[in-house]
Amino acid sequence: MSEQSEQQPVPHVVVLFGANGDLAKRMIYPALAKLGAAGRLPAAYALVGTGRHDVEDYAGVIAGSVDDESSALVERSRFQTSDADDGADLADAVRQAEQEVADEAGVDVDEVRRLIYLSVPPGSMPDIVAMLGREGLTDRARLVVEKPFGLDLESSRQLDRAIKDVADEGDVFRVDHFLGKEAVQNVLALRFANRLLGSVWNRENVQSVSIEVPETLGLEGRGSFYETVGCLRDMVSTHLSQILGFVALEPPADLSAAAVRDAKAAVFDALRPFSKDDTVFGQFDGYRDDDDTDDDSQVETLVALTAHVDTERWRDVPFHLRTGKAMADDRRTVTVRFREPEPALFGETGDAGHPHELVLDLSDDAKVAIELRGKKPGPELEVAPATLRLDYAEDFPDDDPLAAYERILLDVFHGDQLLFARADEVDRLWEVCAPLLDDPPEVQTYEKGTWGPTPPWER
Ligand code: BG6
């Protein structure tokens, strides 16, 4: 991954659906601009933004989204309306941009690759994908698909069929931006580059694993999105499950995309379908007051559930997953809690509030902490909690971490699929979620700024 990431990608035309959308403005333009400033974009490229409605000042939209308003991205962009029934004008605009890029790079137009980014709601995707096929736009293209991938097993399979009709799996990049976070990749490094950790990563030594993404933010204008999607699909079937996949996988044969994704897919195969008895759904008080939500909406804004991975390594080790909006804290953490040592010469210190655990902070300012027990200074042979810390900003001061969307986009330019979800993984994760989608637990109201209802593992 790293070697090729430092080579400049071949000439490209980027086609962005949802070009005037929130995700494009908050994540995609800033990431492209930063990659450009770092010399990581192709030397010759163009961006064609598209959507159903015209955008009068597209250059202004991009300039308003990036730090450097004079970014080359602004100059290299243009907008063309399109819809799923008629993509002829878009196809013309793409071909024209391609010719310009080819001329600039001094290459044949067939050597210009297409990166087609679908940042649109799940319902619109299959028809857009079919249109791309009809217009011949999927030739020489990599197709980037934003989550959620459908809304359930059936719609996901429908989307997958539409994609497979026009593209090979090797050209499909299903984005789960959590996998672009440095710290998630660090799970692999910590486990497989350190015997100290790798050797205890199993049921003999691990008591439980918690994957927690509480967010303090509420709907932030995404009421209608949440009404159709909800927290289980938005966060659990995607981000939290993908993190679980990395934490729980068996050592892959090597670090290739194929080997790592095979190992992750095997975890999902062994992931027991989520059960209503092990799940709590919450909805924050005030959710129904939003203009875009139903007055008696039953949509969950919080999910807490216990997952089980039925492999020899993880049998009987609970995985506690919790995430929600308008909660008491804002963090993204994986906590691996270790069992008490045997014999317990120092007593059951875990019960005394001295947990023995590894905490991985997945935020951009990544940190790893190992909570240990050390001897308390003084005359007695007593233990007290002590922390070993790895602070990236301090330990690697000269290195510049890539933000998640920078990493994701860079990997698409280079065609590296390691950090993207494969069709079989997505399919299996919908199967795992199906019991809760078919028969959801009743939502329990919680006050904003709290931890929400009691999670199943504390009941
Ligand atoms: C998105 C979800 O995929 O991830 C949002 O749709 C969520 O609801 C966001 O807030 C969290 O991402 P990050 O990068 O801020 O941790």
Side-chain angles (χ1 to χ4, degrees):
M1 181 160 53
S2 52
E3 261 173 44
Q4 68 171 10
S5 309
E6 291 314 322
Q7 288 165 13
Q8 219 169 11
V10 299
H12 264 80
V13 170
V14 178
V15 184
L16 175 59
F17 285 79
N20 200 22
D22 180 58
L23 186 81
K25 292 179 200 162
R26 279 190 308 114
M27 298 294 174
I28 301 174
Y29 299 134
L32 284 171
K34 284 222 181 96
L35 288 174
R40 291 182 165 129
L41 287 184
Y45 74 93
L47 167 66
V48 181
T50 186
R52 274 178 305 157
H53 306 290
D54 199 16
V55 179
E56 237 173 59
D57 178 17
Y58 186 49
V61 168
I62 299 178
S65 314
V66 302
D67 289 342
D68 173 12
E69 290 182 18
S70 61
S71 164
L73 185 64
V74 180
E75 283 163 34
R76 288 177 173 273
S77 63
R78 69 200 66 181
F79 187 86
Q80 174 60 56
T81 49
S82 68
D83 65 43
D85 297 327
D86 184 3
D89 290 345
L90 176 65
D92 286 346
V94 171
R95 293 202 170 96
Q96 192 187 331
E98 239 161 25
Q99 190 58 59
E100 289 165 19
V101 168
D103 292 346
E104 181 188 346
V107 299
D108 196 85
V109 77
D110 291 345
E111 291 172 50
V112 178
R113 288 208 67 121
R114 297 168 180 162
L115 187 163
I116 304 181
Y117 201 122
L118 298 175
S119 173
V120 295
S124 337
M125 248 179 229
D127 290 345
I128 294 181
V129 171
M131 177 275 278
L132 290 169
R134 281 197 307 276
E135 296 296 342
L137 285 174
T138 44
D139 304 341
R140 308 191 304 280
R142 296 196 175 111
L143 210 55
V144 187
V145 186
E146 267 291 338
K147 65 166 245 310
F149 314 113
L151 289 174
D152 53 22
L153 191 57
E154 205 188 309
S155 53
S156 153
R157 285 186 176 164
Q158 188 199 346
L159 172 61
D160 202 48
R161 279 194 298 272
I163 291 176
K164 297 256 160 72
D165 276 349
V166 302
D168 293 335
E169 179 65 22
D171 291 321
V172 183
F173 292 74
R174 295 177 193 79
V175 177
D176 187 303
H177 80 277
F178 267 53
L179 299 189
K181 293 180 189 277
E182 291 268 341
V184 177
Q185 301 160 54
N186 200 17
V187 173
L188 292 181
L190 289 171
R191 281 189 62 187
F192 301 120
N194 299 290
R195 192 159 185 144
L196 178 69
L197 293 177
S199 59
V200 293
W201 215 260
N202 52 41
R203 60 193 296 267
E204 281 77 51
N205 298 293
V206 174
Q207 180 179 320
S208 66
V209 178
S210 304
I211 301 175
E212 296 198 283
V213 186
E215 296 184 279
T216 50
L217 54 80
L219 285 179
E220 315 286 312
R222 297 165 85 219
S224 55
F225 172 76
Y226 242 69
E227 276 293 279
T228 32
V229 176
C231 185
L232 182 74
R233 295 179 175 105
D234 184 34
M235 301 295 289
V236 181
S237 69
T238 51
H239 303 323
L240 275 72
S241 297
Q242 285 289 338
I243 297 173
L244 182 150
F246 268 79
V247 172
L249 52 72
E250 292 300 312
D254 53 46
L255 290 176
S256 65
V260 173
R261 299 204 302 174
D262 280 349
K264 184 149 58 77
V267 173
F268 298 148
D269 280 342
L271 185 58
R272 209 181 293 166
F274 296 147
S275 112
K276 192 171 172 176
D277 293 341
D278 276 340
T279 305
V280 165
F281 275 7
Q283 184 190 77
F284 67 80
D285 193 19
Y287 174 81
R288 296 175 187 180
D289 301 338
D290 189 275
D291 287 346
D292 296 322
T293 59
D294 259 20
D295 291 348
D296 56 359
S297 171
Q298 294 298 312
V299 169
E300 77 289 355
T301 62
L302 177 151
V303 177
L305 63 81
T306 302
H308 305 272
V309 181
D310 291 324
T311 58
E312 192 43 38
R313 182 184 296 271
W314 297 115
R315 196 166 21 89
D316 298 331
V317 177
F319 283 72
H320 304 313
L321 272 47
R322 175 157 61 177
T323 180
K325 302 289 181 208
M327 289 182 68
D329 200 358
D330 207 33
R331 58 179 163 81
R332 291 106 184 82
T333 51
V334 175
T335 305
V336 178
R337 177 169 287 204
F338 296 101
R339 294 188 191 281
E340 287 298 315
E342 282 173 22
L345 293 180
F346 286 91
E348 297 278 321
T349 43
D351 295 341
H354 302 170
H356 172 27
E357 58 194 24
L358 170 79
V359 185
L360 282 168
D361 182 340
L362 309 181
S363 61
D364 283 340
D365 179 19
K367 290 188 192 70
V368 181
I370 304 186
E371 305 290 343
L372 297 169
R373 293 92 183 232
K375 184 193 165 299
K376 193 173 167 178
E380 311 296 337
L381 186 50
E382 271 179 30
V383 292
T387 308
L388 267 178
R389 273 203 188 85
L390 174 63
D391 186 327
Y392 274 69
E394 249 173 48
D395 291 352
F396 303 96
D398 302 328
D399 291 314
D400 185 16
L402 294 181
Y405 270 90
E406 291 173 51
R407 160 100 265 157
I408 290 296
L409 280 160
L410 190 61
D411 286 356
V412 184
F413 278 115
H414 288 290
D416 184 340
Q417 293 184 303
L418 193 147
L419 300 177
F420 296 84
R422 213 166 54 185
D424 55 329
E425 296 174 31
V426 171
D427 198 81
R428 173 62 189 160
L429 287 173
W430 282 124
E431 280 179 359
V432 168
C433 289
L436 300 181
L437 293 171
D438 294 347
D439 181 19
E442 206 170 308
V443 287
Q444 299 179 39
T445 310
Y446 61 96
E447 289 299 314
K448 283 186 191 169
T450 67
W451 280 97
T454 308
W457 55 90
E458 280 176 20
R459 284 194 302 221

